[in-house]
């Protein structure tokens, strides 16, 4: 994608995020990464009359495992204070789960994360229709007390929902203190710390993130009182266990957020080797009708678990019920107001 086209999709994004004349926006990058993102956002913001700034952090050595919540900002309190003073932060390094992001949001700065490849950003532009569907789903989820997930492969797990808020992601942010991720299109919450019980069977074709691979043989999770007590299966189960063991942190066995995808422009098949364009797999998290469970940290929702060991696992062909009412049935959205409709 040329820089002119990139600027145009960033302009659409900033309009959807309510950017207007006189607002103060900061684009955050690190080292030599995503400098073209900064250029595109800066140009787009200036066209809207916003006050644009680019904060570029020093490069950091590769982290190896995906250690969520760890950021170079931790050693730069003066930089955090500057970001707190902005109306909007465009995060091009991925601050999610970090205490620094939480402090910036608490100060009223709205945050948009943008780290996916430009071609995915362009195909998964935020729209009014997507926002309406995600917000409708969020309203239903926020009122529910019990979530149950089942599948023909043997998944049957229950999440009690009495503790944590619901988070909506529709790929833009126009409210003070709100975070979103471009691209996205899903809704999630977290089960009570001791309120997740049952079995999850991750089936062939489901996706492991951050490994960015399809599961080849089933992985069987046993969950009791909010904690994984057993992981069984073949090679993929061994891979997951080895990855988690690498953090040397038993809190990685905690159950994290859970929800479902609503973006019809996200493609399940894009994780095929040779086709995956890079990024951190937001397309896989968002595809229409997926049910995704996560393990590890729940501090994003205000919980006590801030482990760096985190996996997201989007699953196909599952059914998800809220207080026994179907939201997703066998991988298809079951509620009319959440369905994508093709306009004639």
């Amino acid at each position: 994608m040329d820089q002119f086209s990139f600027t145009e999709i960033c302009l659409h994004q900033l309009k959807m995020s309510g950017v207007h004349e006189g607002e103060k926006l900061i684009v955050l990058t690190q080292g030599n990464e995503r400098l073209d993102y900064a250029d595109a956002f800066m140009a787009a913001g200036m066209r809207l009359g916003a006050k644009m700034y680019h904060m570029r952090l020093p490069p950091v050595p590769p982290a190896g495992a995906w250690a969520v919540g760890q950021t170079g900002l931790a050693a730069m309190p003066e930089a955090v204070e500057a970001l707190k003073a902005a109306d909007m932060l465009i995060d091009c390094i991925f601050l999610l789960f970090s205490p620094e992001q939480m402090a910036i949001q608490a100060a009223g700065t709205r945050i948009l994360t943008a780290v996916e490849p430009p071609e995915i950003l362009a195909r998964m532009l935020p729209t009014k229709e997507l926002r309406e569907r995600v917000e409708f789903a969020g309203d239903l989820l926020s009122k529910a007390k019990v979530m149950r997930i089942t599948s023909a492969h043997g998944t049957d797990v229950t999440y009690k929902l009495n503790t944590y808020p619901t988070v909506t992601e529709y790929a833009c942010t126009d409210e003070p203190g709100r975070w979103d991720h471009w691209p996205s299109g899903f809704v999630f919450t977290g089960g009570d710390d001791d309120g997740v019980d049952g079995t999850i069977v991750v089936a062939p074709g489901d996706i492991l993130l951050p490994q960015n691979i399809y599961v080849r043989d089933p992985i069987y999770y046993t969950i009791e009182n909010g904690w994984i007590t057993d992981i069984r299966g073949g090679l993929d189960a061994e891979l997951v266990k080895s990855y988690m063991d690498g953090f040397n942190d038993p809190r990685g066995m905690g159950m994290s957020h859970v929800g479902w995808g609503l973006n019809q422009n996200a493609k399940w098949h894009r994780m095929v080797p040779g086709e995956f364009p890079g990024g951190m797999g937001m397309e896989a998290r968002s595809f229409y009708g997926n049910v995704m469970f996560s393990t590890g940290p729940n501090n994003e929702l205000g919980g006590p678990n801030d482990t760096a060991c985190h996996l997201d696992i989007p699953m196909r062909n599952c059914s998800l019920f809220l207080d026994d009412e179907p939201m997703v049935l066998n991988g298809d959205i079951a509620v009319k107001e959440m369905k994508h409709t093709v306009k004639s």
Side-chain angles (χ1 to χ4, degrees), residues 260-274:
W260 66 95
L262 288 159
N263 194 322
Q264 76 283 354
N265 291 322
K267 307 300 182 186
W268 162 76
H269 66 264
R270 292 277 294 181
M271 306 296 291
V272 173

PDB file of all heavy atoms in Angstrom, residues 260-274:
ATOM      1  N   TRP A 260     -16.900 -13.470  21.760  1.00  0.00           N
ATOM      2  CA  TRP A 260     -17.144 -13.961  20.402  1.00  0.00           C
ATOM      3  C   TRP A 260     -16.924 -12.864  19.362  1.00  0.00           C
ATOM      4  O   TRP A 260     -17.011 -11.673  19.652  1.00  0.00           O
ATOM      5  CB  TRP A 260     -18.529 -14.569  20.276  1.00  0.00           C
ATOM      6  CG  TRP A 260     -19.700 -13.649  20.425  1.00  0.00           C
ATOM      7  CD1 TRP A 260     -20.388 -13.036  19.416  1.00  0.00           C
ATOM      8  CD2 TRP A 260     -20.366 -13.261  21.644  1.00  0.00           C
ATOM      9  NE1 TRP A 260     -21.430 -12.294  19.928  1.00  0.00           N
ATOM     10  CE2 TRP A 260     -21.447 -12.414  21.279  1.00  0.00           C
ATOM     11  CE3 TRP A 260     -20.150 -13.547  22.990  1.00  0.00           C
ATOM     12  CZ2 TRP A 260     -22.289 -11.857  22.223  1.00  0.00           C
ATOM     13  CZ3 TRP A 260     -20.996 -12.982  23.933  1.00  0.00           C
ATOM     14  CH2 TRP A 260     -22.047 -12.154  23.554  1.00  0.00           C
ATOM     15  N   GLY A 261     -16.621 -13.304  18.120  1.00  0.00           N
ATOM     16  CA  GLY A 261     -16.275 -12.403  17.032  1.00  0.00           C
ATOM     17  C   GLY A 261     -17.471 -12.022  16.184  1.00  0.00           C
ATOM     18  O   GLY A 261     -18.396 -12.818  15.989  1.00  0.00           O
ATOM     19  N   LEU A 262     -17.416 -10.786  15.638  1.00  0.00           N
ATOM     20  CA  LEU A 262     -18.558 -10.243  14.900  1.00  0.00           C
ATOM     21  C   LEU A 262     -18.163  -9.531  13.605  1.00  0.00           C
ATOM     22  O   LEU A 262     -19.003  -8.888  12.976  1.00  0.00           O
ATOM     23  CB  LEU A 262     -19.328  -9.264  15.793  1.00  0.00           C
ATOM     24  CG  LEU A 262     -20.124  -9.897  16.932  1.00  0.00           C
ATOM     25  CD1 LEU A 262     -20.417  -8.876  18.021  1.00  0.00           C
ATOM     26  CD2 LEU A 262     -21.424 -10.494  16.405  1.00  0.00           C
ATOM     27  N   ASN A 263     -16.910  -9.648  13.190  1.00  0.00           N
ATOM     28  CA  ASN A 263     -16.465  -8.906  12.007  1.00  0.00           C
ATOM     29  C   ASN A 263     -16.512  -9.804  10.776  1.00  0.00           C
ATOM     30  O   ASN A 263     -15.701 -10.721  10.621  1.00  0.00           O
ATOM     31  CB  ASN A 263     -15.057  -8.360  12.219  1.00  0.00           C
ATOM     32  CG  ASN A 263     -14.690  -7.323  11.171  1.00  0.00           C
ATOM     33  OD1 ASN A 263     -15.042  -7.433  10.002  1.00  0.00           O
ATOM     34  ND2 ASN A 263     -13.968  -6.291  11.587  1.00  0.00           N
ATOM     35  N   GLN A 264     -17.452  -9.516   9.866  1.00  0.00           N
ATOM     36  CA  GLN A 264     -17.625 -10.338   8.668  1.00  0.00           C
ATOM     37  C   GLN A 264     -16.486 -10.177   7.678  1.00  0.00           C
ATOM     38  O   GLN A 264     -16.329 -10.988   6.760  1.00  0.00           O
ATOM     39  CB  GLN A 264     -18.964 -10.005   7.989  1.00  0.00           C
ATOM     40  CG  GLN A 264     -18.992  -8.704   7.208  1.00  0.00           C
ATOM     41  CD  GLN A 264     -19.095  -7.457   8.082  1.00  0.00           C
ATOM     42  OE1 GLN A 264     -19.267  -7.568   9.308  1.00  0.00           O
ATOM     43  NE2 GLN A 264     -19.017  -6.290   7.474  1.00  0.00           N
ATOM     44  N   ASN A 265     -15.683  -9.132   7.825  1.00  0.00           N
ATOM     45  CA  ASN A 265     -14.556  -8.922   6.914  1.00  0.00           C
ATOM     46  C   ASN A 265     -13.281  -9.618   7.367  1.00  0.00           C
ATOM     47  O   ASN A 265     -12.282  -9.621   6.642  1.00  0.00           O
ATOM     48  CB  ASN A 265     -14.287  -7.418   6.754  1.00  0.00           C
ATOM     49  CG  ASN A 265     -15.402  -6.721   6.000  1.00  0.00           C
ATOM     50  OD1 ASN A 265     -15.955  -7.266   5.055  1.00  0.00           O
ATOM     51  ND2 ASN A 265     -15.755  -5.522   6.420  1.00  0.00           N
ATOM     52  N   ALA A 266     -13.302 -10.189   8.548  1.00  0.00           N
ATOM     53  CA  ALA A 266     -12.148 -10.947   9.041  1.00  0.00           C
ATOM     54  C   ALA A 266     -12.234 -12.373   8.506  1.00  0.00           C
ATOM     55  O   ALA A 266     -13.312 -12.971   8.469  1.00  0.00           O
ATOM     56  CB  ALA A 266     -12.142 -10.955  10.566  1.00  0.00           C
ATOM     57  N   LYS A 267     -11.108 -12.907   8.101  1.00  0.00           N
ATOM     58  CA  LYS A 267     -11.069 -14.220   7.465  1.00  0.00           C
ATOM     59  C   LYS A 267     -10.384 -15.240   8.366  1.00  0.00           C
ATOM     60  O   LYS A 267      -9.271 -15.025   8.827  1.00  0.00           O
ATOM     61  CB  LYS A 267     -10.324 -14.146   6.124  1.00  0.00           C
ATOM     62  CG  LYS A 267     -10.845 -13.064   5.182  1.00  0.00           C
ATOM     63  CD  LYS A 267     -12.301 -13.259   4.814  1.00  0.00           C
ATOM     64  CE  LYS A 267     -12.789 -12.191   3.842  1.00  0.00           C
ATOM     65  NZ  LYS A 267     -14.234 -12.275   3.589  1.00  0.00           N
ATOM     66  N   TRP A 268     -11.040 -16.367   8.558  1.00  0.00           N
ATOM     67  CA  TRP A 268     -10.448 -17.459   9.330  1.00  0.00           C
ATOM     68  C   TRP A 268      -9.235 -18.047   8.618  1.00  0.00           C
ATOM     69  O   TRP A 268      -8.233 -18.401   9.249  1.00  0.00           O
ATOM     70  CB  TRP A 268     -11.501 -18.545   9.558  1.00  0.00           C
ATOM     71  CG  TRP A 268     -10.908 -19.870   9.945  1.00  0.00           C
ATOM     72  CD1 TRP A 268     -10.401 -20.213  11.168  1.00  0.00           C
ATOM     73  CD2 TRP A 268     -10.738 -21.020   9.117  1.00  0.00           C
ATOM     74  NE1 TRP A 268      -9.925 -21.497  11.147  1.00  0.00           N
ATOM     75  CE2 TRP A 268     -10.129 -22.013   9.897  1.00  0.00           C
ATOM     76  CE3 TRP A 268     -11.068 -21.303   7.785  1.00  0.00           C
ATOM     77  CZ2 TRP A 268      -9.825 -23.279   9.388  1.00  0.00           C
ATOM     78  CZ3 TRP A 268     -10.766 -22.555   7.280  1.00  0.00           C
ATOM     79  CH2 TRP A 268     -10.151 -23.525   8.072  1.00  0.00           C
ATOM     80  N   HIS A 269      -9.268 -18.130   7.304  1.00  0.00           N
ATOM     81  CA  HIS A 269      -8.259 -18.883   6.561  1.00  0.00           C
ATOM     82  C   HIS A 269      -6.947 -18.122   6.372  1.00  0.00           C
ATOM     83  O   HIS A 269      -6.005 -18.678   5.807  1.00  0.00           O
ATOM     84  CB  HIS A 269      -8.799 -19.263   5.179  1.00  0.00           C
ATOM     85  CG  HIS A 269      -9.055 -18.086   4.279  1.00  0.00           C
ATOM     86  ND1 HIS A 269     -10.304 -17.503   4.160  1.00  0.00           N
ATOM     87  CD2 HIS A 269      -8.231 -17.376   3.478  1.00  0.00           C
ATOM     88  CE1 HIS A 269     -10.222 -16.497   3.314  1.00  0.00           C
ATOM     89  NE2 HIS A 269      -8.978 -16.396   2.889  1.00  0.00           N
ATOM     90  N   ARG A 270      -6.840 -16.908   6.863  1.00  0.00           N
ATOM     91  CA  ARG A 270      -5.671 -16.086   6.556  1.00  0.00           C
ATOM     92  C   ARG A 270      -4.432 -16.458   7.368  1.00  0.00           C
ATOM     93  O   ARG A 270      -3.377 -15.838   7.216  1.00  0.00           O
ATOM     94  CB  ARG A 270      -6.002 -14.619   6.799  1.00  0.00           C
ATOM     95  CG  ARG A 270      -7.019 -14.041   5.833  1.00  0.00           C
ATOM     96  CD  ARG A 270      -6.374 -13.604   4.557  1.00  0.00           C
ATOM     97  NE  ARG A 270      -5.468 -12.486   4.801  1.00  0.00           N
ATOM     98  CZ  ARG A 270      -4.761 -11.875   3.866  1.00  0.00           C
ATOM     99  NH1 ARG A 270      -4.821 -12.289   2.633  1.00  0.00           N
ATOM    100  NH2 ARG A 270      -3.975 -10.862   4.163  1.00  0.00           N
ATOM    101  N   MET A 271      -4.514 -17.479   8.204  1.00  0.00           N
ATOM    102  CA  MET A 271      -3.351 -17.908   8.976  1.00  0.00           C
ATOM    103  C   MET A 271      -2.533 -18.967   8.242  1.00  0.00           C
ATOM    104  O   MET A 271      -1.556 -19.490   8.780  1.00  0.00           O
ATOM    105  CB  MET A 271      -3.786 -18.463  10.342  1.00  0.00           C
ATOM    106  CG  MET A 271      -4.655 -17.522  11.151  1.00  0.00           C
ATOM    107  SD  MET A 271      -3.833 -15.989  11.624  1.00  0.00           S
ATOM    108  CE  MET A 271      -2.630 -16.604  12.788  1.00  0.00           C
ATOM    109  N   VAL A 272      -2.924 -19.309   7.035  1.00  0.00           N
ATOM    110  CA  VAL A 272      -2.189 -20.314   6.266  1.00  0.00           C
ATOM    111  C   VAL A 272      -0.762 -19.844   6.031  1.00  0.00           C
ATOM    112  O   VAL A 272      -0.541 -18.680   5.653  1.00  0.00           O
ATOM    113  CB  VAL A 272      -2.893 -20.572   4.917  1.00  0.00           C
ATOM    114  CG1 VAL A 272      -2.055 -21.494   4.036  1.00  0.00           C
ATOM    115  CG2 VAL A 272      -4.270 -21.179   5.152  1.00  0.00           C
ATOM    116  N   PRO A 273       0.237 -20.716   6.229  1.00  0.00           N
ATOM    117  CA  PRO A 273       1.624 -20.303   5.973  1.00  0.00           C
ATOM    118  C   PRO A 273       1.797 -19.768   4.559  1.00  0.00           C
ATOM    119  O   PRO A 273       1.291 -20.342   3.590  1.00  0.00           O
ATOM    120  CB  PRO A 273       2.414 -21.607   6.175  1.00  0.00           C
ATOM    121  CG  PRO A 273       1.575 -22.411   7.116  1.00  0.00           C
ATOM    122  CD  PRO A 273       0.155 -22.079   6.764  1.00  0.00           C
ATOM    123  N   GLY A 274       2.502 -18.655   4.468  1.00  0.00           N
ATOM    124  CA  GLY A 274       2.699 -18.018   3.177  1.00  0.00           C
ATOM    125  C   GLY A 274       1.667 -16.958   2.871  1.00  0.00           C
ATOM    126  O   GLY A 274       1.897 -16.090   2.028  1.00  0.00           O
TER     127      GLY A 274
END
